[in-house]
Amino acid sequence: MKILVCMKQVPDMESKFRINDQGSWYDESDLAWRMNEYDEYSVEQAILLKEQVGEGDLTVLSIGPKRIQETMKKALAMGCDRGVHVNDVKVHEKDPFEIASIIAEFAKDKNFDMIFTGMQSQDRGSGQVGVLVAEMLNLPCITTIVDFAFDNGTVNAKRELEGGVKAKVSAQAPVLVTCQLGLNSPRYPTLPNIMKAKKKELAVVEVGDLLTVESRLETPKISLPEKKSGGLILEGEVGDLVEQLVTLLKERTTVFA
């Protein structure tokens, strides 16, 4: 079985973010980087599937600058067989259609039986890449899965819907699934596996050698949310609250000006 899992490196969400000088993205200096949380579940599920079938070839793919290789090594230490780094220093400027096009171009002639992606990334959160890849490769797609089973070429999954409802969906491989939080418990790489990962293949492919796609979206500017003062809670009887509210509006606003 040939399996592909797509992974993204994102900044630690606890980091202090600053807008860059161009006002087009966040300043990437002094940030801690990690594997996208949703992708940890997709990597783990891909490894579990390979272990279940007893044989196979599991490739992890990631797009970005050279620094993403450190995060890819975690996926290799978890159990992926090889990595493919699509080198792209301007990945942050690409929209979901461009990212999906690059992945689809890589995968189109590889005959993967299963493709795993995270439901969305923590930094952009578009939730579009996996679905677009499936469409471009003409594959069935099951999104936001919280339960996964594979039996004799059939994928049986449960999707998380609004209100906590879970829908059962089945599809014949090859199929692409996008993974939701809680699908499984991602393993921690052991020291022996970390050492083994250093010897695993990590191929580098220049993004320009794969595909060049024009952007369909433009981000002219980004900004941090405006800081707002805390709200004021009024307590008491309704009549008293009305008087308090009117007094506050007169003193602090121009409603009665």
Side-chain angles (χ1 to χ4, degrees):
M1 170 174 279
K2 294 187 66 174
I3 307 169
L4 174 67
V5 59
C6 301
M7 184 217 79
K8 184 177 183 180
Q9 185 190 61
V10 297
D12 191 313
M13 294 297 113
E14 299 299 322
S15 302
K16 184 176 181 179
F17 289 87
R18 301 187 301 272
I19 306 300
N20 62 17
D21 295 337
Q22 294 76 35
S24 59
W25 194 239
Y26 51 77
D27 185 349
E28 296 187 357
S29 60
D30 302 323
L31 290 177
W33 299 89
R34 54 162 294 170
M35 186 186 299
N36 179 49
E37 186 175 8
Y38 295 89
D39 297 342
E40 290 186 10
Y41 293 92
S42 60
V43 170
E44 175 65 24
Q45 197 60 55
I47 296 169
L48 289 172
L49 176 58
K50 181 193 170 185
E51 292 174 345
Q52 175 190 336
V53 298
E55 59 181 11
D57 183 86
L58 174 52
T59 300
V60 57
L61 178 144
S62 189
I63 306 170
K66 186 175 180 180
R67 59 171 159 75
I68 72 170
Q69 292 187 11
E70 288 304 311
T71 304
M72 293 184 71
K73 289 176 182 177
K74 177 180 179 181
L76 294 174
M78 289 173 68
C80 294
D81 296 309
R82 62 183 47 77
V84 176
H85 168 206
V86 179
N87 188 37
D88 186 359
V89 296
K90 295 184 177 181
V91 65
H92 62 278
E93 298 179 3
K94 289 181 168 56
D95 62 34
F97 182 84
E98 292 176 274
I99 297 297
S101 298
I102 293 168
I103 297 171
E105 180 67 18
F106 169 80
K108 68 179 184 180
D109 57 355
K110 303 294 191 303
N111 297 317
F112 289 109
D113 299 294
M114 283 293 310
I115 300 179
F116 293 87
T117 75
M119 182 188 76
Q120 64 185 26
S121 61
Q122 290 176 280
D123 53 357
R124 286 188 180 273
S126 73
Q128 299 177 42
V129 172
V131 178
L132 286 169
V133 171
E135 176 66 19
M136 292 171 183
L137 295 176
N138 195 29
L139 295 177
C141 179
I142 308 176
T143 60
T144 61
I145 67 168
V146 291
D147 188 73
F148 177 91
F150 184 84
D151 182 23
N152 197 28
T154 300
V155 173
N156 297 299
K158 290 182 181 179
R159 299 182 62 236
E160 184 177 56
L161 305 179
E162 293 182 1
V165 177
K166 294 181 175 62
K168 295 181 179 180
V169 182
S170 297
Q172 287 294 122
V175 60
L176 185 149
V177 297
T178 74
C179 302
Q180 170 67 298
L181 305 182
L183 171 62
N184 49 50
S185 298
R187 69 194 68 190
Y188 290 97
T190 62
L191 181 57
N193 286 335
I194 292 173
M195 300 305 294
K196 291 178 182 177
K198 295 180 179 180
K199 299 180 180 180
K200 291 183 178 180
E201 178 186 359
L202 182 51
V204 179
V205 179
E206 297 299 324
V207 66
D209 296 337
L210 271 180
L211 188 67
T212 300
V213 183
E214 291 187 8
S215 176
R216 298 192 173 193
L217 297 176
E218 180 183 356
T219 304
K221 183 180 179 182
I222 65 172
S223 61
L224 296 172
E226 295 182 6
K227 292 185 178 180
K228 297 182 180 180
S229 58
L232 180 63
I233 300 176
L234 303 179
E235 297 180 350
E237 298 295 328
V238 175
D240 295 334
L241 291 177
V242 172
E243 293 183 7
Q244 292 181 54
L245 178 59
V246 171
T247 300
L248 288 170
L249 291 174
K250 288 180 178 180
E251 294 177 349
R252 304 188 185 185
T253 71
T254 59
V255 173
F256 294 98

